[in-house]
């Protein structure tokens, strides 16, 4: 985010093929169904839209309040987490105005959809996760007991994973359950979560510049079976712009 750019890497490459400019505190990334890239500018209070293959914005959404997470639902609607506005805005496909406002959140900083139910999960700075039924504008339930939840992800079985940056853990909930499973531990300020095609979980540790990999089906609370990958630079000096596709 400090450089106000987004770097594009081709598969297998180690140097960027292009650099996207015209940004102000890029904090989150998401692609729509047509391949357009949306970038949340947390410090600029806006979302920049890049047409496929372009390096400067072709459109944008202004008037936001520290947007720090983006997601698209199954209907192609864009959701923007307004962290300082305590709401989530929903935009119909192809529109940049007149959003529907989702309320009942507290400093939203991560978004994720359950692909089976269509429910939207929102991680809040008030140490909760709010759950919205599909099309709802207020949460059906708010889950407490987290510790600065900053990232959300679902595995192939529909298990919810929540990165707790302040407690160095990842909380897990089985599909349809409100009772947490044993957490994943041994982490260091986890800031990002992602699953690969084989359903291995990768956790970005902001505190020690590493990535921890948990094997498919890992169901223990300790780090047995986990692998820590070293050699990463912080790369997010002003914020987690690499938390794309949340």
């Amino acid at each position: 985010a400090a450089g106000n750019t987004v770097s594009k890497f081709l598969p297998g490459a180690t140097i960027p093929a292009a650099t996207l400019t015209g940004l102000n505190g890029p904090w989150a990334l998401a692609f729509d169904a047509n391949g357009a890239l949306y970038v949340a500018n947390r410090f600029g209070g806006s979302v920049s839209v890049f047409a496929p293959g372009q390096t400067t914005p072709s459109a944008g959404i202004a008037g936001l309040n520290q947007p720090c997470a983006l997601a698209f639902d199954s209907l192609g609607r864009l959701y923007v987490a307004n962290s300082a506005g305590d709401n989530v805005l929903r935009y119909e496909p192809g529109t940049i105005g007149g959003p529907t406002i989702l309320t009942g959140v507290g400093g939203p900083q991560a978004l994720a959809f359950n692909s089976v139910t269509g429910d939207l999960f929102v991680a809040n700075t008030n140490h909760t996760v709010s759950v919205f039924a599909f099309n709802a504008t207020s949460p059906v339930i708010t889950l407490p007991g987290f510790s600065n939840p900053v990232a959300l992800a679902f595995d192939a079985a529909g298990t919810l994973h929540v990165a707790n940056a302040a407690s160095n853990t990842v909380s897990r909930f089985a599909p349809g359950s409100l009772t947490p499973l044993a957490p994943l531990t041994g982490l260091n300020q986890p800031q990002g979560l992602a699953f690969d095609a084989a359903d291995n979980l990768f956790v970005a540790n902001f505190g020690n510049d590493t990535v921890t990999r948990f094997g498919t089906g890992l169901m223990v609370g300790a780090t047995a079976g986990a692998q820590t990958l070293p050699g990463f630079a912080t790369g997010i000096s002003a914020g987690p712009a690499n938390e794309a596709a949340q």
Side-chain angles (χ1 to χ4, degrees):
N4 290 325
T5 61
V6 169
S7 298
K8 174 184 176 181
F9 289 82
L10 298 177
T14 57
I15 58 174
T19 299
L20 283 61
T21 59
L23 304 169
N24 187 354
W27 206 266
L29 313 173
F31 287 93
D32 69 13
N34 297 316
L37 172 65
Y38 289 66
V39 182
N41 297 296
R42 183 165 189 173
F43 306 136
S46 64
V47 171
S48 299
V49 184
F50 294 80
Q54 300 302 305
T55 58
T56 56
S58 58
I61 301 171
L64 305 175
N65 201 339
Q66 295 190 30
C68 62
L70 304 172
F72 286 93
D73 68 12
S74 59
L75 299 180
R77 298 178 297 188
L78 171 67
Y79 292 71
V80 181
N82 259 332
S83 181
D86 290 334
N87 58 41
V88 175
L89 304 181
R90 182 174 69 209
Y91 294 84
E92 295 300 315
T95 67
I96 58 174
T100 299
I101 301 175
L102 283 62
T103 59
V105 296
Q109 54 185 355
L111 306 173
F113 281 97
N114 181 318
S115 61
V116 175
T117 64
D119 293 346
L120 171 66
F121 288 70
V122 182
N124 301 298
T125 55
N126 64 7
H127 310 301
T128 64
V129 171
S130 302
V131 185
F132 292 77
F134 190 70
N135 274 335
T137 56
S138 59
V140 293
I141 192 170
T142 296
L143 307 176
F146 299 96
S147 186
N148 190 21
V150 295
L152 305 169
F154 287 91
D155 66 14
T159 300
L160 171 67
H161 293 67
V162 184
N164 296 293
S167 64
N168 300 320
T169 62
V170 172
S171 301
R172 300 178 302 132
F173 294 80
S177 174
L178 302 179
T179 302
L181 302 167
L184 302 178
T185 61
L187 304 168
N188 197 323
Q189 296 181 45
Q191 293 280 333
L193 303 174
F195 285 93
D196 66 12
D199 217 26
N200 297 301
L201 172 64
F202 292 75
V203 183
N205 296 296
F206 179 78
N208 63 2
D209 298 337
T210 63
V211 171
T212 302
R213 179 173 62 198
F214 292 88
T216 301
L218 181 65
M219 297 299 287
V220 297
T223 55
Q227 178 184 9
T228 298
L229 311 176
F232 294 88
T234 301
I236 52 175
S237 58
N242 59 347
E243 287 185 18
Q246 292 203 101

